[in-house]
Structures are given as C-alpha cells and as structure tokens.
Amino acid sequence: MTPDPGKYERPDRTTVLAWLRENDPAALEALWLQADTVRRSQVGDAVHLRGLVEVSNHCVRQCTYCGIRAGNREVNRYRMTAEEVVGCALRVAGLGYGTIVIQGGEDFGLTGPWVTDVVTRIKAATPLAVTLSLGERLPDELREWREAGADRYLLRFETSDMALFDRIHPPRHGQSVKRWDLLGRLRDLGYEVGSGVMVGIPGQTWGSLADDVMHFASLDLDMIGVGPYIQHPDTPLATTAAGGPDQVPADATTACKVVALARLVRPDANIPATTALGTIDRAHGRELGLHRGANVVMPNFTPDRYKASYDIYPDKAALGDPGEDLPGTVRELLRRLGRTVGQGQGSRGG
Ligand code: 5AD
C-alpha cells in the first residue's frame, strides 16, 4: 500500500536507529517507498541540476580522509583564474541550469576579494544561484560574499561524534572552529545552509549516525549532502582499521538509508544523489539515490585539465562517464526515471 504522504510520521531517534540497523532488503523497501513518497509530495518530480566547479585543490587542512589534504605531496595543485570560473558559469547558465556550486579546498589563496569579485561577476552576467563551498572561512569573508550576492553555503559537519570529528580534522594552529556555530552564523547572514556527513568513517558508530540524522532536523538544513566514505590510499585514515562491531559500513545501501532518513526528517530539503554514491556503485548509485529520497544532481563542470587533480577520493565518477556530463545525457537519465528537469534556481520551498 502506498503511504498517505500527508500522514507519515517524522521518525524519532529510536526509529532512525532501527532503520539504520535494518538489513532485510524486503523490510527496507518500506523505507525506500516512504522516502520516495515524501520526496514526491514535498518537492515533486523535478530534479535540480547544479553545475559543480572545483576551483582550487590547494588546502591548508590535514583532514585524515581527504586526498587533497595539505600533507599529500602526490597532488598536482591548481587554482582556477576568475576568468575560467566565470567562463564555467556561462556554460552552466547556457545549458539552462539554475545553480553554480563553487567548491574548493580551504585555500586562502582564494582571497576574500577574489571570491567577492567572482560572485559579483557571475551574478551580473547570469541568472544563476551561487553556492559556495570553500571550507571554514572568516566571518567577515562570509558576510562580504553574501553581500556580493552568494545565495548558499555548503559545509558538511561530517560526523556529530565530536571525539571522532577531532580525530579526523586536526585543527589549524590548534584552534578548532565549531562547525555548528559556523552553520548558525551562515544562517544568520541569510545564506541557505547545506551540510551533511560521510557514511562509514572508520570509528563511526550506528548511534552517532542516528544522532547525525537527528541533527539534520535540529539544524533545519536547507540542503543535505550524504555520501559513503571512500578510502584514499595517500591518506592517514587509509591505514586505520575500521572500528568494532558497532562500525557503520561504507556501502551504498547504508548511504541510501541516510539519504532516505534525511528526506523523512527534513521533508522539503534539497538532497543530492552525490558523486560519492555514484562512485561506490557506478552502475546504479545516483539512480538509487534519486529513488530513495534525493532530488538534486551535481554534474561536474570543472575544466578537464584540472578535473583529475581534484582527487578527494579515488576514481570519482563522472555522471555516467564519457560524455555523460553533457546535458542531453543527464536529461536522458531523468526521463528514464520518470523525473523532470528542475526549472529556475531550485531554492528551498521554491
Ligand atoms: N570519501 C568520501 N567523501 C569524502 N569527502 C572528502 N574526502 C572524502 C573521502 N575520502 C567529502 C567530505 C567533504 C566533501 C566535499 O567531500 O564529506 O565535505
């Protein structure tokens, strides 16, 4: 029976934990169906396309899971010019997308004024919403970028287990910024706020993952990005043994459970079928995400000469591989799934 979309109950932590631990594929069908039903009733069949531009792989941080961490000498570092980024924005807009996502390592070589200039030029030249994802930047910079017209900011909290967070995110100069505080500040500045987690980080427990899901609701997130942890050989975390019996696995099904639960606790959020999900299950990952609560995909518009160097984890999936970044193919995928292409900026509630 199809659940009545008006009637579903938002799961409490006990229910969330029970779903996370559920392993029976037949029982999980009920979770997938509920998430898909709530997705349709709350945000409809439109899938919003966000053009992702990875503007720099320089990074001052030492996150123990990430391939572009400062300590990794194997990376060819690059930083795009403002002209290149604006050029990508024109392409994204020309293809009818509503949003550009400007993402990079925590790179202070992307100076505050440089980002302000790029945002200003994109807002002047296109109707795009501008999403920034540039790490833990200074309050004054975040305010200036918002004033220049940036609409949204993405900063995953990665895990709500603070001991685990501190282990995998060595602070800069011994100062740790509380990401919750920064997310609140972004909200106060008037950004739409996105966050999320990795699923299956070594040391991550079911209980902490249930807490993560409950935080999606308490933070009232506008956007929720969830993907499986993927081991990168040139990082310290690759040599860390995964934890004990309570260890969350880093697989597509578990990541999908978190996507589905995110939809149930934050019914009208924008939730992408992430690249990491498409990487761990190349044949079906994104499609599964879109069937289990997601309503956004983020095709990669990083120029080819830089793409391979944005190596946060190995073998990142292009949308469907050769050529599938082309809009025709994304549209083809959505048509096959019975979904439509989102029009306009695809903001929360609009
Ligand atoms: N596996 C999966 N996701 C990763 N990220 C960074 N490194 C990895 C990895 N090894 C994710 C983080 C970050 C986002 C941009 O990419 O969650 O917030």
Side-chain angles (χ1 to χ4, degrees), residues 300-350:
N300 194 330
F301 281 74
T302 308
D304 284 339
R305 61 187 172 285
Y306 302 131
K307 230 179 224 174
S309 300
Y310 201 79
D311 181 31
I312 54 181
Y313 49 80
D315 295 324
K316 248 176 20 188
L319 243 193
D321 288 329
E324 234 210 327
D325 272 357
L326 298 173
T329 330
V330 176
R331 283 167 215 266
E332 180 50 41
L333 169 74
L334 297 182
R335 190 161 50 241
R336 190 155 53 69
L337 301 181
R339 305 282 278 276
T340 56
V341 177
Q343 303 297 313
Q345 294 188 339
S347 305
R348 174 179 179 179

Side-chain angles (χ1 to χ4, degrees), residues 65-66 156 158 198 228-230 312-313:
Y65 50 86
C66 183
R156 291 191 183 173
E158 314 292 2
M198 287 182 294
Y229 161 68
I230 299 170
I312 54 181
Y313 49 80

Side-chain angles (χ1 to χ4, degrees), residues 279-310:
T279 299
I280 197 158
D281 180 349
R282 295 186 105 80
H284 307 292
R286 288 202 223 237
E287 193 170 328
L288 287 175
L290 290 170
H291 277 307
R292 295 172 174 178
N295 71 320
V296 167
V297 289
M298 299 170 62
N300 194 330
F301 281 74
T302 308
D304 284 339
R305 61 187 172 285
Y306 302 131
K307 230 179 224 174
S309 300
Y310 201 79

Side-chain angles (χ1 to χ4, degrees), residues 86-230:
V86 174
C88 288
L90 294 174
R91 270 185 69 216
V92 169
L95 292 170
Y97 289 25
T99 299
I100 183 171
V101 179
I102 296 176
Q103 183 163 92
E106 206 164 290
D107 173 17
F108 289 85
L110 304 174
T111 66
W114 183 91
V115 176
T116 301
D117 174 56
V118 167
V119 171
T120 306
R121 284 161 67 177
I122 293 173
K123 295 302 282 189
T126 75
L128 294 172
V130 173
T131 302
L132 300 177
S133 181
L134 300 171
E136 296 173 1
R137 299 289 300 238
L138 303 174
D140 282 348
E141 296 175 322
L142 298 171
R143 185 172 32 73
E144 219 178 283
W145 301 340
R146 174 78 189 123
E147 284 166 4
D151 301 275
R152 310 180 187 138
Y153 205 95
L154 302 177
L155 181 69
R156 291 191 183 173
F157 63 80
E158 314 292 2
T159 173
S160 57
D161 174 341
M162 284 305 150
L164 177 59
F165 183 93
D166 290 345
R167 277 206 301 284
I168 64 178
H169 299 99
R172 225 165 35 105
H173 316 308
Q175 290 172 329
S176 84
V177 173
K178 290 270 159 289
R179 284 207 180 174
W180 314 103
D181 297 349
L182 204 46
L183 292 169
R185 194 186 290 272
L186 289 163
R187 164 93 56 211
D188 292 343
L189 288 169
Y191 285 98
E192 276 191 54
V193 177
S195 192
V197 299
M198 287 182 294
V199 173
I201 307 165
Q204 189 180 43
T205 62
W206 291 114
S208 79
L209 190 56
D211 292 337
D212 297 349
V213 171
M214 300 316 286
H215 281 298
F216 297 162
S218 61
L219 290 165
D220 191 32
L221 295 178
D222 303 305
M223 303 168 285
I224 302 167
V226 171
Y229 161 68
I230 299 170

